[in-house]
Amino acid sequence: MDEKSLRQVLKGSDLGQEMVRIADKVIKLERISPEEGLHLFENGSLPVVGMLANYIREHKHGDRTYFNRNFHIEPTNVCVFSCKFCSYSRLYAHREEGWESDIEQMMDKVKAYDGVPITEVHIVGGVHPKMNIHFFADLLRKIKAHRPELHIKGFTAVELDYMFRKANLSREEGLRLLKEAGLDSLPGGGAEIFDPEVREIICADKVDGEGWLDIHGTAHRLGMHTNATMLYGHVEAYKHRIDHMQRLREQQDRTGGFNTFIPLKFRNHDNEMSDVNESTMIEDMRMYSIARIYMDNFPHLKAYWPMLGREQAQLSLAFGVNDIDGTIDDSTKIYSMAGSEEQTPAMSTSDLVNLIRQVNRIPVERDTLYHEIRNYVERPMDADE
Ligand code: V47
Ligand code: SF4
């Protein structure tokens, strides 16, 4: 929708004075303040925040909707931490209930994709007390030796913080070591909610918000790109979501290396927070919309379909989202174990392309750093692909 039509629609809606003022700022592409962000959460109806978010989305990316071809390696689900929302991990004392892969098993997984045109491997897992930085550096070197062009996006700031402390390395030394071994970028996990009081309730024992931001800032200074997540829809209040996004926005102003913001909806199956209700679909779409409006210096907003489900991911493309992650095979267990509809998350490229086309957007395959590999409207799929 162009600026004139958007202004006309908003004029016809019965908006309060404050909402009119904020909407005007958004349309002029001005940054909104934390107070204005909170006003959107507390008073913004889905149609209004959705239209504004879609305006920003189309201003930044038009109809382009990105995905990539990737697969996951989850080295272990044994974890020294005990986040209350986690359905996936097993404590070291109960490690016989979990899994632990050695380098050879993980390399077999990499080799299974020989000849398949994937561009990224995403490595993420629990924090195992016996898998140290040298073990992972060895894995990275072996992956690069086998397939040098494969982009390795690996290890949350939580895993890194633990590895570096155990090896007595500073964050910069640790990141340099892994970068030299082949690590290309960091995923966005482990951020949860930065506010210390909420963190104390949901994940008291892992790296705090400052530490998470410092690891990402250090990675940016070393020339690596990273993502950022926010786990929402549990015990936090709107002000905590704003605080989280504000800290990320400030970090991005300082170091500029974030590619994508990924709001993650809390799923309540089989974890210590199962008594907390999940957010509604309307609340999820409001979350994406306000994230798109607030995070003005983040180029991309991602809906992670294995967690959200395909139909909601498709719907999110009208509410600010311009990326739906990758083709992923059944190697990620984080969400199926937490109650996602996607029990064995796998979508072929043609499934993803169709899903995006059905809502009149343009499917674009990208690499991890958003270089375009193929525009599927300019170059549609052949019947035999
Ligand atoms: O940090 C764990 C989340 C994250 C639950 O950077 C849960 O491209 C909801 O960060 N309900 C790890 N969420 C996954 C992650 C990620 C995923 C996809 C792409 C990227 C990227 C990053 O999963 C954790 C935590 O916030 N999580 N349990 C749960 N019950
Ligand atoms: Fe461990 Fe990550 Fe689960 Fe927390 S969310 S318990 S750090 S695997």
Side-chain angles (χ1 to χ4, degrees):
M1 196 184 280
D2 60 24
E3 181 179 339
K4 203 167 147 219
S5 323
L6 177 58
R7 284 192 187 280
Q8 260 167 4
V9 176
L10 290 174
K11 223 169 151 190
S13 324
D14 189 17
L15 302 181
Q17 231 182 358
E18 181 62 357
M19 193 62 75
V20 171
R21 198 184 59 75
I22 298 173
D24 186 57
K25 276 181 90 170
V26 176
I27 295 169
K28 288 187 192 142
L29 306 176
E30 287 171 16
R31 175 171 280 193
I32 65 165
S33 68
E35 296 71 31
E36 290 163 343
L38 200 55
H39 189 84
L40 292 184
F41 271 126
E42 285 169 350
N43 304 289
S45 67
L46 179 60
V48 172
V49 293
M51 268 188 292
L52 293 173
N54 192 47
Y55 179 75
I56 305 287
R57 184 250 206 247
E58 291 181 358
H59 174 80
K60 285 186 186 286
H61 306 289
D63 283 327
R64 284 180 150 64
T65 301
Y66 295 98
F67 67 92
N68 72 348
R69 297 201 203 204
N70 65 359
F71 70 101
H72 283 217
I73 293 181
E74 295 182 357
T76 182
N77 67 340
V78 173
C79 191
V80 296
F81 298 121
S82 38
C83 306
K84 296 237 173 6
F85 54 80
C86 185
S87 323
Y88 160 88
S89 66
R90 297 291 176 270
L91 284 170
Y92 188 66
H94 302 287
R95 61 189 182 283
E96 69 289 346
E97 295 168 14
W99 71 86
E100 297 162 314
S101 314
D102 59 25
I103 303 259
E104 208 180 303
Q105 287 165 326
M106 292 189 267
M107 283 310 295
D108 284 345
K109 176 116 218 211
V110 174
K111 289 173 190 165
Y113 290 91
D114 284 356
V116 180
I118 39 133
T119 55
E120 174 191 284
V121 53
H122 179 170
I123 306 177
V124 66
V127 179
H128 194 294
K130 300 221 163 130
M131 291 181 181
N132 65 22
I133 193 165
H134 303 293
F135 173 84
F136 285 117
D138 191 24
L139 172 68
L140 296 169
R141 277 186 217 103
K142 291 204 163 96
I143 296 175
K144 283 289 178 185
H146 183 74
R147 196 162 173 174
E149 80 291 353
L150 188 64
H151 182 108
I152 307 179
K153 178 175 80 179
F155 313 119
T156 64
V158 174
E159 294 164 89
L160 294 173
D161 178 66
Y162 185 84
M163 266 184 233
F164 300 163
R165 281 191 290 114
K166 260 209 129 164
N168 239 331
L169 293 171
S170 71
R171 289 170 177 157
E172 183 173 332
E173 288 165 340
L175 279 165
R176 274 190 199 283
L177 190 156
L178 293 176
K179 186 171 184 250
E180 275 159 29
L183 185 65
D184 294 300
S185 67
L186 309 188
E192 324 311 357
I193 286 280
F194 293 142
D195 177 85
E197 282 174 23
V198 176
R199 231 172 157 81
E200 183 63 30
I201 300 169
I202 65 170
C203 56
D205 48 1
K206 68 188 187 186
V207 67
D208 63 11
E210 277 80 33
W212 190 100
L213 288 162
D214 185 54
I215 288 174
H216 281 254
T218 307
H220 297 171
R221 279 187 284 272
L222 295 179
M224 299 164 90
H225 284 274
T226 76
N227 290 336
T229 56
M230 173 171 75
L231 182 71
Y232 72 92
H234 41 89
V235 299
E236 89 289 4
Y238 287 145
K239 67 173 184 191
H240 300 125
R241 298 188 196 179
I242 288 292
D243 172 70
H244 188 92
M245 294 195 290
Q246 176 64 19
R247 294 193 207 202
L248 285 171
R249 204 167 75 168
E250 286 170 5
Q251 180 68 55
Q252 180 75 328
D253 282 342
R254 285 193 292 272
T255 50
F258 288 117
N259 271 336
T260 314
F261 182 51
I262 315 164
L264 294 171
K265 173 196 177 87
F266 164 66
R267 307 301 309 241
N268 69 5
H269 181 73
D270 208 13
N271 55 47
E272 283 183 57
M273 286 167 61
S274 292
D275 56 318
V276 176
N277 287 334
E278 291 183 356
S279 55
T280 62
M281 196 199 299
I282 292 190
E283 189 56 19
D284 296 334
M285 296 305 133
R286 267 171 28 92
M287 179 65 242
Y288 284 119
S289 302
I290 296 169
R292 183 59 285 172
I293 295 167
Y294 202 79
M295 305 297 267
D296 60 343
N297 55 0
F298 271 63
H300 303 285
L301 182 68
K302 184 192 283 190
Y304 186 53
W305 66 261
M307 172 268 288
L308 202 60
R310 296 161 206 228
E311 287 180 0
Q312 281 209 47
Q314 194 177 38
L315 188 63
S316 73
L317 301 184
F319 296 95
V321 168
N322 70 293
D323 187 316
I324 49 174
D325 206 84
T327 42
I328 310 176
D329 62 9
D330 63 358
S331 54
T332 178
K333 299 195 178 62
I334 258 187
Y335 293 106
S336 50
M337 289 170 83
S340 168
E341 295 74 14
E342 301 289 343
Q343 285 303 305
T344 50
M347 256 208 271
S348 67
T349 303
S350 76
D351 291 339
L352 269 172
V353 166
N354 289 337
L355 188 131
I356 296 167
R357 287 304 291 149
Q358 278 165 6
V359 288
N360 292 325
R361 300 291 193 186
I362 302 171
V364 179
E365 186 186 337
R366 61 164 175 89
D367 65 12
T368 311
L369 303 181
Y370 290 84
H371 301 115
E372 293 196 8
I373 294 177
R374 178 167 169 185
N375 177 319
Y376 282 82
V377 168
E378 287 166 7
R379 202 149 64 85
M381 288 187 98
D382 296 333
D384 57 351
E385 268 187 275

